[in-house]
Amino acid sequence: MAKPTRPGKKNAAGNGLAGGRQRPRRADEALRADITANVPVAIFRRALERDGTYAVRFAIAGTYEIFGRDPAKTEPDDLIDAIQPDDRERWSELSRESAANLTPLDFEMRVLTESGETRWVRTVARPHATADGEIVWDGVDFH
């Protein structure tokens, strides 16, 4: 673990931690890609559009693994359709409450994989309003 530098002193990365050399931006991007590929969670950005529909704006590859879907055959919005109907109704209700109050969403739901397996998946996300009137959640799904 990196040791703190002297008070007020920053290291090359600008974070006040000693021992780290500044890495080129490409190395940081490669590291980030490696970590997100290996962490057993789905990282996403989901939006409630002005017309009341949901859209998945961003999902890392792990998202498809969590949901048991082939990324080559799955559109991001198909992930919402994978939520079992009873749970999708409750997820939608809680999402609307989260959007109205800008409060975190924390919900456990069942999803149906391509092979027909039912998986329990927990979603945790924080919403924020955009300048164009949408509500956007950044969060994680895991099982």
Side-chain angles (χ1 to χ4, degrees):
M1 182 165 176
K3 297 177 189 173
T5 59
R6 286 175 275 159
K9 180 134 172 109
K10 302 282 185 186
N11 68 3
N15 62 15
L17 296 177
R21 282 192 228 155
Q22 189 171 11
R23 292 184 302 268
R25 179 174 224 107
R26 275 192 213 127
D28 286 344
E29 290 170 2
L31 177 62
R32 188 174 12 265
D34 187 46
I35 290 170
T36 57
N38 288 300
V39 174
V41 298
I43 300 170
F44 65 83
R45 172 168 278 184
R46 191 170 15 234
L48 175 59
E49 298 178 331
R50 289 178 301 227
D51 66 1
T53 59
Y54 292 98
V56 176
R57 300 281 171 77
F58 171 81
I60 66 167
T63 305
Y64 300 95
E65 184 180 331
I66 297 285
F67 279 73
R69 305 272 166 167
D70 179 351
K73 300 187 300 186
T74 306
E75 293 296 320
D77 292 343
D78 294 339
L79 300 172
I80 293 170
D81 294 335
I83 302 170
Q84 292 204 354
D86 291 343
D87 293 345
R88 191 177 322 129
E89 193 173 305
R90 181 73 176 137
W91 171 84
S92 182
E93 179 184 313
L94 291 174
S95 293
R96 289 186 193 286
E97 287 176 19
S98 172
N101 302 312
L102 292 179
T103 53
L105 175 66
D106 188 341
F107 181 63
E108 197 167 12
M109 61 195 167
R110 295 165 293 171
V111 298
L112 192 61
T113 67
E114 284 181 329
S115 67
E117 172 191 1
T118 297
R119 289 187 182 166
W120 282 96
V121 173
R122 182 175 174 190
T123 187
V124 179
R126 288 190 176 163
H128 64 275
T130 65
D132 62 355
E134 294 182 337
I135 302 298
V136 174
W137 289 266
D138 294 321
V140 295
D141 291 322
F142 53 94
H143 76 103

